[in-house]
Every structure is written in structure tokens, then in C-alpha cells.
Amino acid sequence: MKQRLKQITKFIAICALVVLSSCEKDLYEEGIKQNSNLKIEQKSFQELLLNKKFSSAYQKVEKSRISKREGLQGRTALEDEYNFTIVEKSPVKILTNDSDGSTTYVMLIERPISENLKFENLILNDKNGILDGRIIKYTLSKEPQKR
């Protein structure tokens, strides 16, 4: 019986040693360090149009101005194709990643017919002069509360 108790004690000690040695390195530490190169800022759309990098990225999706009586002047090719308008009064989020040299612009967009509890963002990612655009739709679970 004593020998069995000694074996159980040794087994528990070895298990505790393995568990404690695996906690030596924080698994999330590397992920935190990798994201430290990410810079997030916010600017108005008009202020951003003066930025050379954004202006060149925006001009890639912009086509010649439409001259119709319906007030569609200033719409881009994406806006015409996917039937949305960039909300210029809403600030633009700018995410700059120093490690890979990419810049991402997040802009609020709206459609002629709005859906309840839904909003959309236009995401433009400029990485080494290669532009990628996406539209992401979000659905809220309940009405937002104003504070």
C-alpha cells in the first residue's frame, strides 16, 4: 500500500512539473508583439483627400465624374456599380501596418434603401500600390443605445 502511495505521489509530482513548465512562455505574447506595428487613427474624409497616399488609392477606384441632373456628381465607379454612397460626414478609420507597409481605410457607406439594424463599411487596403476593396455588412442584435 505504501509503495502504491509513493507511485501515485511521484506521478502527481511529474504531472505538476509538466504543467508548470508549459506555463513558462506566454502563448499570447508573440501575437501582442506582432500587432504593435499597427497604428490606428481617424480623420475626416475631406482631410484624407488631401493625403497623397489616400488620394492615389481613391483615384484608382474613381472614374470620370458623372454629370446627371440627379446629383450623382462625385460618385466613384464602385459607388455606381454597387449602389452606395460614402458617408463623407463620418470619420474614416486608417490602419497603418509598419511591418508590411499596408494601409487600410475603413469608410461608412449608405444605400438608398436602408435596412433596420444594419450598416456597411467600404474597406480599401493599399499594400505596395496594389489596391483591394471590400464591402462588409454588419447586423446589430439590438438597437444602439445613446449615452
Side-chain angles (χ1 to χ4, degrees):
M1 180 75 171
K2 286 186 179 184
Q3 189 175 7
R4 185 102 165 129
L5 188 59
K6 284 183 182 180
Q7 287 177 342
I8 291 173
T9 306
K10 286 181 183 179
F11 179 74
I12 291 174
I14 290 172
C15 288
L17 184 64
V18 169
V19 169
L20 292 176
S21 67
S22 69
C23 296
E24 181 180 336
K25 184 178 179 185
D26 189 2
L27 298 176
Y28 301 107
E29 201 170 293
E30 289 177 17
I32 292 170
K33 287 180 181 176
Q34 287 177 350
N35 289 334
S36 66
N37 295 331
L38 188 66
K39 182 177 135 187
I40 302 172
E41 58 184 320
Q42 180 173 298
K43 292 186 179 180
S44 71
F45 186 77
Q46 298 302 325
E47 182 182 357
L48 208 52
L49 283 174
L50 301 175
N51 181 319
K52 197 177 260 187
K53 190 170 184 179
F54 175 76
S55 181
S56 66
Y58 187 70
Q59 286 176 2
K60 289 179 184 178
V61 296
E62 188 177 33
K63 70 174 187 179
S64 61
R65 303 288 182 190
I66 299 172
S67 57
K68 290 187 179 178
R69 296 180 195 151
E70 300 170 14
L72 293 176
Q73 291 180 332
R75 289 174 59 94
T76 65
L78 283 177
E79 289 175 310
D80 289 336
E81 185 176 347
Y82 296 105
N83 196 25
F84 69 83
T85 305
I86 296 171
V87 180
E88 294 182 10
K89 293 179 182 176
S90 178
V92 178
K93 305 278 191 281
I94 307 158
L95 293 87
T96 308
N97 191 340
D98 293 334
S99 62
D100 67 357
S102 68
T103 305
T104 304
Y105 305 97
V106 181
M107 296 168 267
L108 180 65
I109 60 174
E110 58 185 21
R111 301 206 182 253
I113 300 172
S114 63
E115 298 178 61
N116 191 29
L117 297 178
K118 294 188 180 182
F119 69 94
E120 295 175 285
N121 282 337
L122 172 64
I123 314 290
L124 293 179
N125 186 0
D126 185 6
K127 184 174 181 180
N128 301 325
I130 299 170
L131 188 66
D132 181 36
R134 306 216 186 274
I135 296 174
I136 299 180
K137 182 183 271 190
Y138 302 93
T139 303
L140 301 174
S141 59
K142 61 180 181 177
E143 288 285 337
Q145 297 176 353
K146 294 185 180 183
R147 294 180 181 204

